[in-house]
Amino acid sequence: MKERLVVIPTYNEIENIETIIRKTFSLPEPFDILIVDDGSPDGTAQRVRDLQEEFPPNGPSLRLNLLERRGKLGLGTAYIDGFKWALSRGYQFLFEMDADFSHNPEDLIKLYHACADEGATRADVAVGSRYIKGVNVVNWPMSRVLMSYFAGVYVRFITGMSIMDPTAGFICYRAEVLEVILHNPIKFVGYAFQIEMKFTCWKYGFRIREVPIIFTDRTKGVSKMSSKIFKEAVFGVLQMKISSFFRHYIPRRETPAKAEESMKAF
Ligand SMILES: Nc1nc2c(ncn2[C@@H]2O[C@H](COP(=O)(O)OP(=O)(O)O)[C@@H](O)[C@H]2O)c(=O)[nH]1
Ligand SMILES: [Mg+2]
């Protein structure tokens, strides 16, 4: 059954790719993987193709899939392409996860259960959050921790959405959420992409639940974060808020205000 799919975008992750795939496939619960590679010059995609012999994409489970794009087109569109790929194949739970072990694959299980287990607290979107139980960031320079934390303060102030870690990129979405929010184009590419996805879910009234995780800076390979991505986030949030006044969101669950109450309850 095609139930859970982890989308992992990669650009020059040759030092991490094999270990992140093996770690994910060794979890006690089954997750399929889709790598979305943007023509990494270091041969990341070739390593994935080699591993597909061990984990065939058409196997009964632990399927390793590869989507190759022609050049560095950005994290946001890599996820969008990955999600569209997954929805057309019937996956029910779609995950965002980085390739560099900043996100611990073991936490995929917590994120999944937050969205899958029946009950009043079931979420539509589960966000692996660094800031709901103190500050759980390991090995980032203080400047980057502060920037990330205050990005959250800024986003909450501008948007009115009470999420503590709006730039988080370790997420589980129920498929029906993505069916709705990908109906209109998502504009942004970097951190602003992460904010825009959560904002759109919130505007539609989907239940967002933050699940505590520990984020650890990569020990291998290099970050692709740039000042362009930072600027996009600062101005993008304002632009996103303003354009939301002119857009009509037909609530899919409940009003945003109510969704926020349920979010606070966690
Ligand atoms: N496909 C694709 N993946 C990307 C791109 N930029 C970054 N990534 C991947 O996105 C994830 C997060 O990027 P990273 O550089 O670690 O950002 P940071 O954690 O914010 O420093 C990693 O798996 C990267 O390889 C891109 O343009 N295209
Ligand atoms: Mg990283």
Side-chain angles (χ1 to χ4, degrees), residues 162-220:
S162 70
I163 194 154
M164 288 305 289
D165 194 353
T167 58
F170 195 18
I171 320 257
C172 173
Y173 297 95
R174 297 179 65 85
E176 55 267 34
V177 174
L178 293 173
E179 304 267 12
V180 171
I181 69 168
L182 298 187
H183 213 70
N184 289 302
I186 298 286
K187 279 215 269 306
F188 299 115
V189 172
Y191 288 124
F193 164 81
Q194 300 295 3
I195 300 166
E196 186 183 16
M197 292 287 282
K198 295 178 192 76
F199 182 71
T200 313
C201 292
W202 176 70
K203 289 295 278 183
Y204 276 111
F206 287 116
R207 279 167 191 245
I208 304 173
R209 175 168 160 195
E210 294 189 84
V211 173
I213 56 131
I214 296 174
F215 177 100
T216 311
D217 193 19
R218 61 163 77 235
T219 53
K220 295 192 176 129

Side-chain angles (χ1 to χ4, degrees), residues 21 24 65 73 86 100 103 107 112 156 232 236 240 257:
I21 289 169
T24 305
N65 304 280
L73 299 172
D100 60 1
H103 304 142
D107 292 330
Y112 167 74
R156 285 191 292 281
E232 181 199 52
M240 185 184 79

Side-chain angles (χ1 to χ4, degrees), residues 8-13 36-40 69 71-79 97-100 102-103 140 144 189 191 215 217-218 222-225 229:
I8 307 179
T10 53
Y11 191 75
N12 284 348
E13 296 290 358
V36 184
D37 185 71
D38 278 3
S40 299
R69 307 195 308 164
K72 193 171 182 315
L73 299 172
L75 184 76
T77 59
Y79 275 125
M97 186 171 84
D98 289 356
D100 60 1
S102 283
H103 304 142
W140 253 6
R144 215 171 155 191
V189 172
Y191 288 124
F215 177 100
D217 193 19
R218 61 163 77 235
V222 291
S223 167
K224 285 96 205 171
M225 160 79 180
I229 288 176

